Amino acid sequence: MDMLSLVSGTGVALKKVASTHGGEYAGPCPGCGGNDRFRCWPNDKDGRGAFWCRQCDKGGDDIQFMVEFMGYTYRQAFEAAGRSMPDNYTPAVCRPARERRKKAFEPRVFESPADLWRERALKFVEKAHVALLENKAELSYLAHRGLDLQAVKGFRLGWFEGENGKGCMFRSRESWGLETVLKRDGRKKVLWIPRGIVIPTFKKGEIYRIRVRRPSYDLKTDKDSRYFIVPGSGMEAAGHNPGHRAFVVVEADLDEMLVCRRAGSLVGTVALGSSTGKPGSDVFPVLKKAVRVLVSLDWDKAGRKAWEWWKKEFPNARFWPVPEGMGKDPGDAFENGLDIRDWVTAGLPPALTMEINHGYQKPEGMSHMQELQMLLSKYPVTIEATLDKGRIHFDPGFRHRGIRQRIHDLFYKDEDIYWYLKMYHPDDVISGDNLLVKDPA
Ligand SMILES: [Zn+2]
């Protein structure tokens, strides 16, 4: 396929603007939009074509185009171009040197919590989780925000009631591995944790942060804010499914979990904690590499202002608040009837959502789960599915494209299967033998 058809396949219309290098075309960029910042020379590079966007600074040949804007891997791009991929392939990235970016944003490196803190925090989270499962009122509140029982269990959400007749607890800071802090009167400061919904964040399988969403009846003065972060928590923005190629960025943890629960097979999710939160050194490069970043900040002044930073820093970003009239954030919108998965899908490039069929015949009368089990039993394939990872491992000799694609679709495009295997299934490596035998409850 030549470069002009590739470009028009992404829905972008180009105009011929010059005859140099065998013809130059200009138009909106398939990645970052605009008017005519995108340039392309279809006859350049021995007919493979060349492109460059002066806004997002992406550039290269036809292969690079498919990788940057159509969601292909290099291997898939070569396959689509009908050429074989050379060993030790170096991407043909081209961009005029004179237009290099100015000084780059330096993501902050955050510290991880202390070991003793982790130990205490994990116990606290587990206890709160058991308490939440007994608490009908809080479960019902969460369900209204799109976090059903499966989500509550998968994310280890909890409820902390307080102790000794108080709506909070006190501990010495040292008992949680925190340094001693003296108050003005010379006495030791203590660790205070208020009651509320306990929202844990895990990083690489380890507890990283605890946020508590406090009930309205405890918010009495201006100093009482809705969310409380347990001192000692790690402070980098975090989320789920870092292996995906598209992301949704939101403000609140519960919204992040909602999007993860409803569309986690399609996109990775990140919670910033507030509209001004910025990704740190772990998350920043992941978002930079993404094909698309949907920035869903709240529908308010602060959210729109923060978007300016994202627009400058991430040419792959789109401003993607929930539809107008649906409330200010994904949780509101869910309550107002928004289909979260449809809303996310509408913001993604077609390559990530379209159905491809390489001549595979779907069996009749089988559920997706049964079909997946049949395929996993029959072919040399396993799925690695944990909280942090979701990856299909094909035996390298297994080349049937139709079946590979179908297994890919069953895992990544069926929300229930994806959720079940990643968050629920007790085994990390799934094959035809253990897919169905374990009871999820
Ligand atoms: Zn661009």
Side-chain angles (χ1 to χ4, degrees):
M1 212 186 301
D2 65 78
M3 176 126 334
L4 287 180
S5 348
L6 284 176
V7 179
S8 70
T10 62
V12 162
L14 296 178
K15 289 194 306 271
K16 185 162 181 176
V17 290
S19 305
T20 43
H21 303 288
E24 176 173 330
Y25 294 75
C29 171
C32 68
N35 288 323
D36 67 344
R37 55 181 68 154
F38 181 84
R39 300 277 152 151
C40 129
W41 303 268
N43 293 312
D44 209 24
K45 297 193 186 294
D46 308 321
R48 284 180 287 137
F51 73 93
W52 175 58
C53 169
R54 71 168 75 129
Q55 164 77 17
C56 63
D57 202 31
K58 289 180 171 165
D61 61 1
D62 55 345
I63 299 297
Q64 198 62 24
F65 184 89
M66 288 188 256
V67 170
E68 299 279 22
F69 301 126
M70 296 169 67
Y72 285 56
T73 61
Y74 282 105
R75 196 159 290 286
Q76 290 167 335
F78 270 100
E79 216 166 273
R83 304 200 297 270
S84 58
M85 180 164 155
D87 294 336
N88 306 321
Y89 175 67
T90 323
V93 179
C94 80
R95 44 178 75 105
R98 66 197 149 80
E99 306 250 7
R100 278 293 143 79
R101 319 248 92 196
K102 283 151 263 142
K103 62 173 189 304
F105 168 76
E106 287 277 341
R108 197 175 139 193
V109 181
F110 288 87
E111 269 177 54
S112 293
D115 288 344
L116 184 55
W117 186 92
R118 280 194 173 132
E119 207 178 289
R120 297 279 186 260
L122 191 61
K123 274 192 192 133
F124 178 77
V125 164
E126 289 303 336
K127 209 172 152 195
H129 180 60
V130 173
L132 176 59
L133 297 178
E134 306 277 298
N135 189 325
K136 290 230 167 63
E138 296 301 333
L139 285 176
S140 142
Y141 164 77
L142 289 166
H144 278 291
R145 303 293 285 186
L147 296 166
D148 57 8
L149 197 56
Q150 285 210 25
V152 165
K153 289 184 179 173
F155 297 124
R156 309 304 286 173
L157 292 171
W159 169 257
F160 176 59
E161 181 67 51
E163 62 182 19
N164 305 328
K166 294 201 179 83
C168 62
M169 74 179 210
F170 296 98
R171 292 287 182 278
S172 77
R173 290 173 52 88
E174 296 78 7
S175 68
W176 275 55
L178 298 172
E179 66 193 27
T180 304
V181 176
L182 295 180
K183 293 194 289 190
R184 276 194 196 153
D185 61 9
R187 290 196 305 177
K188 282 185 181 175
K189 210 172 160 182
V190 293
L191 173 67
W192 172 79
I193 302 180
R195 74 180 140 203
I197 296 176
V198 174
I199 308 167
T201 297
F202 293 85
K203 225 178 189 183
K204 300 191 173 107
E206 294 208 68
I207 182 80
Y208 181 74
R209 172 168 56 234
I210 301 175
R211 211 186 285 268
V212 179
R213 185 184 191 278
R214 305 176 62 193
S216 300
Y217 49 78
D218 279 349
L219 307 180
K220 288 172 190 135
T221 71
D222 289 350
K223 276 191 180 166
D224 294 320
S225 59
R226 172 69 75 187
Y227 290 96
F228 173 84
I229 295 177
V230 173
S233 296
M235 291 310 294
E236 173 159 18
H240 291 88
N241 296 314
H244 278 317
R245 285 182 290 161
F247 290 83
V248 175
V249 174
V250 300
E251 292 186 20
D253 291 318
L254 292 180
D255 286 335
E256 182 272 320
M257 290 170 177
L258 163 64
V259 178
C260 176
R261 171 72 182 101
R262 305 287 153 172
S265 68
L266 285 171
V267 287
T269 42
V270 174
L272 298 173
S274 71
S275 66
T276 52
K278 308 255 192 300
S281 56
D282 282 353
V283 176
F284 186 80
V286 173
L287 295 181
K288 270 289 191 203
K289 270 198 316 219
V291 173
R292 179 75 36 97
V293 178
L294 299 176
V295 179
S296 184
L297 300 170
D298 292 359
W299 256 126
D300 56 20
K301 223 171 138 193
R304 261 167 297 168
K305 188 160 172 252
W307 161 244
E308 294 301 317
W309 180 81
W310 286 87
K311 194 165 73 178
K312 239 189 278 158
E313 206 54 52
F314 289 89
N316 51 355
R318 294 280 185 288
F319 192 42
W320 206 251
V322 296
E324 209 163 356
M326 282 281 192
K328 69 173 172 44
D329 57 34
D332 283 355
F334 177 85
E335 271 189 86
N336 287 319
L338 180 70
D339 183 316
I340 297 290
R341 192 179 161 90
D342 286 353
W343 165 67
V344 169
T345 303
L348 298 179
L352 295 184
T353 54
M354 72 189 165
E355 292 266 336
I356 315 166
N357 187 340
H358 297 294
Y360 171 82
Q361 198 75 38
K362 290 181 197 173
E364 276 179 48
M366 252 189 203
S367 72
H368 280 173
M369 196 63 98
Q370 289 165 330
E371 185 183 352
L372 183 61
Q373 200 229 354
M374 182 268 291
L375 294 173
L376 292 185
S377 308
K378 235 168 134 177
Y379 301 104
V381 185
T382 55
I383 298 177
E384 192 182 357
T386 64
L387 206 58
D388 294 315
K389 269 193 197 156
R391 207 170 289 160
I392 305 173
H393 298 282
F394 294 100
D395 187 296
F398 180 66
R399 298 219 158 264
H400 194 302
R401 280 172 80 194
I403 289 164
R404 287 173 72 115
Q405 183 67 45
R406 183 60 183 165
I407 292 171
H408 181 277
D409 287 353
L410 285 169
F411 181 53
Y412 285 109
K413 292 178 184 165
D414 183 310
E415 208 55 55
D416 288 333
I417 290 185
Y418 190 79
W419 177 267
Y420 167 71
L421 294 185
K422 280 189 54 121
M423 309 291 278
Y424 237 50
H425 197 289
D427 298 332
D428 292 352
V429 178
I430 318 281
S431 67
D433 296 334
N434 64 349
L435 175 64
L436 293 175
V437 292
K438 298 276 165 71
D439 180 3

